[in-house]
């Protein structure tokens, strides 16, 4: 097996030289300022080591990657009852699409499209004021990463709140079907803020370890969720984690993964590693262009695809 450190270094070096970098998201004005020339990669391996290269310590906006952690928390709150509020099928539509919602009575296809994540946030809110729910989300991510410095980028949260008209529409539409139980403003405020959490690749790779190791943090040996739940979250990441680019990601990379419009991807190589990559330029499906290419190379070189060598 090739040396992980060397593989990670080589990939970061190759990615930093490429000209095809995709386009940074501009619909959230604060994200439009991010330099697309950056690239970071961090791999937290099963033996406790972490291989990092490039801008792996630069915090970026995790955006929809936060939905993996909110889904984990909501399953803790509601268990399988969650699946009455949100489905488990790939949508085949863009991350912020509204069309399916009307046909399916306001029940979103899966927890990773925006509508589904709003339903998940609503479940976490039940019985709590938004500030407490947000505190719980942040505490969970800090605990998973074993890092209390992880924070919310208030500029990004405000920027999204000022321009998130489509999310406002989705939330109101779902409310009209009775799918949201809390006030729409609470759900949106909490959602915008958890999407605005800033993390580096190193922090994100550390936070994802419980998904790679059957729900346990291999460093502390602390069990965060059951093996069955970890397996199911991985299944959803594989089938729905890249919106209408999920099939292509499974085909090319072969790992469960969740992307965000900040250009990050959290990928899981079960029993091997938790991987975070960041390259801010996106492809037309809203997924990190070089991030996907880097993961494809990493999975191939390390023989980590869940579908075989
Ligand atoms: N906060 C973003 C939105 O709601 C998340 C989208 C993404 O990262 O894919 O549009």
């Amino acid at each position: 097996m090739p040396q992980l450190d060397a593989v990670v270094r080589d990939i970061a070096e190759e990615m930093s030289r490429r000209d095809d970098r995709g386009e940074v998201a501009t619909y959230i004005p604060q994200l439009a300022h991010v330099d697309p020339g950056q690239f970071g990669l961090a791999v937290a391996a099963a033996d406790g080591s972490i291989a990092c290269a490039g801008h792996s310590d630069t915090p970026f906006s995790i955006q929809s990657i936060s939905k993996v952690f909110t889904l984990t928390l909501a399953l803790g709150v509601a268990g399988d009852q969650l699946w009455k509020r949100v489905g488990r099928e790939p949508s085949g539509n863009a991350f912020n699409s509204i069309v399916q919602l009307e046909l399916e009575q306001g029940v979103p296809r899966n927890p990773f499209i925006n509508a589904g994540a709003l339903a998940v946030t609503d479940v976490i809110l039940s019985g709590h004021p938004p500030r407490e729910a947000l505190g719980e989300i942040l505490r969970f991510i800090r605990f998973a990463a074993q890092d209390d410095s992880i924070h919310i980028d208030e500029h990004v949260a405000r920027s999204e709140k000022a321009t998130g008209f489509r999310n406002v529409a989705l939330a109101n539409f779902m409310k009209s079907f009775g799918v949201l139980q809390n006030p729409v403003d609470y759900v949106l405020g909490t959602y915008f803020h958890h999407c605005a959490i800033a993390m580096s690749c190193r922090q994100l790779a550390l936070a994802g370890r419980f998904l790679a190791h059957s729900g346990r943090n291999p460093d502390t040996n602390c069990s965060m969720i059951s093996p069955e739940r970890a397996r199911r979250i991985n299944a959803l990441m594989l089938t729905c984690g890249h919106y209408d680019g999920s099939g292509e990601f499974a085909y090319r990379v072969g790992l469960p993964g969740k992307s965000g419009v900040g250009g990050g991807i959290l990928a899981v190589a079960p029993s091997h590693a938790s991987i975070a990559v960041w390259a801010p330029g996106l492809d037309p499906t809203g997924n990190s262009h070089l991030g996907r290419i880097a993961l494809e190379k990493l999975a191939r070189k390390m023989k980590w695809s869940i579908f075989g060598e």
Side-chain angles (χ1 to χ4, degrees):
M1 190 60 65
Q3 195 60 43
L4 179 61
D5 271 320
V7 170
V8 165
R9 220 179 23 246
D10 288 353
I11 291 173
E13 204 185 305
E14 185 187 336
M15 294 302 125
S16 69
R17 278 190 270 109
R18 284 179 73 134
D19 301 327
D20 58 323
R21 307 200 75 83
E23 302 287 331
V24 296
T26 51
Y27 78 99
I28 300 175
Q30 199 67 22
L31 297 183
H33 306 314
V34 178
D35 171 9
Q38 302 175 90
F39 177 88
L41 178 60
V43 183
D47 64 4
S49 65
I50 177 154
C52 294
H55 299 92
S56 54
D57 284 311
T58 306
F60 61 91
S61 192
I62 66 167
Q63 291 294 318
S64 283
I65 302 170
S66 60
K67 297 171 184 173
V68 173
F69 302 103
T70 51
L71 171 64
T72 307
L73 276 176
L75 283 168
V77 172
D80 281 345
Q81 296 295 316
L82 181 71
W83 305 120
K84 292 196 171 134
R85 312 272 298 274
V86 59
R88 299 193 295 262
E89 293 297 337
S91 72
N93 281 320
F95 65 98
N96 55 6
S97 171
I98 203 164
V99 287
Q100 238 161 19
L101 267 186
E102 177 156 32
L103 298 172
E104 298 177 3
Q105 281 72 51
V107 178
R109 270 288 169 104
N110 68 65
F112 293 149
I113 52 173
N114 287 8
L118 289 164
V120 165
T121 302
D122 186 59
V123 168
I124 297 175
L125 266 170
S126 1
H128 301 287
R131 188 168 290 278
E132 261 177 35
L134 202 53
E136 195 184 338
I137 296 166
L138 198 55
R139 267 195 304 282
F140 179 69
I141 293 179
R142 286 174 170 171
F143 178 67
Q146 298 280 296
D147 187 336
D148 281 344
S149 71
I150 294 165
H151 64 281
I152 293 170
D153 184 331
E154 286 293 339
H155 297 290
V156 174
R158 269 200 295 277
S159 184
E160 190 166 353
K161 187 161 185 241
T163 57
F165 304 112
R166 192 176 275 257
N167 285 322
V168 173
L170 286 170
N172 279 294
F173 202 52
M174 287 160 69
K175 184 79 177 171
S176 77
F177 280 106
V179 173
L180 297 184
Q181 290 169 1
N182 293 279
V184 166
D185 283 356
Y186 285 16
V187 177
L188 285 167
T190 309
Y191 171 82
F192 290 144
H193 279 81
H194 74 63
C195 286
I197 291 172
M199 290 169 84
S200 67
C201 288
R202 183 192 298 271
Q203 290 168 326
L204 188 57
L206 290 172
R209 284 172 302 182
F210 70 100
L211 293 170
H213 302 287
S214 306
R216 261 183 329 98
N217 176 332
D219 268 1
T220 58
N221 212 20
C222 160
S223 167
M224 296 184 57
I225 52 172
S226 69
E228 183 186 45
R229 193 158 283 167
R231 191 176 71 237
R232 289 180 158 168
I233 294 170
N234 281 327
L236 288 163
M237 288 169 76
L238 182 80
T239 51
C240 311
H242 282 72
Y243 311 116
D244 46 341
S246 298
E248 184 71 4
F249 188 83
Y251 180 82
R252 292 194 174 276
V253 180
L255 296 175
K258 180 73 204 87
S259 70
V261 290
I265 302 175
L266 171 64
V268 176
S271 308
H272 295 298
S274 164
I275 308 155
V277 65
W278 173 54
L282 308 179
D283 66 18
T285 54
N287 299 304
S288 175
H289 173 66
L290 288 181
R292 199 264 293 145
I293 293 172
L295 288 171
E296 184 176 353
K297 288 177 186 291
L298 179 71
R300 188 182 307 132
K301 287 192 176 147
M302 299 308 295
K303 303 190 194 309
W304 280 347
S305 165
I306 60 169
F307 300 112
E309 295 184 14

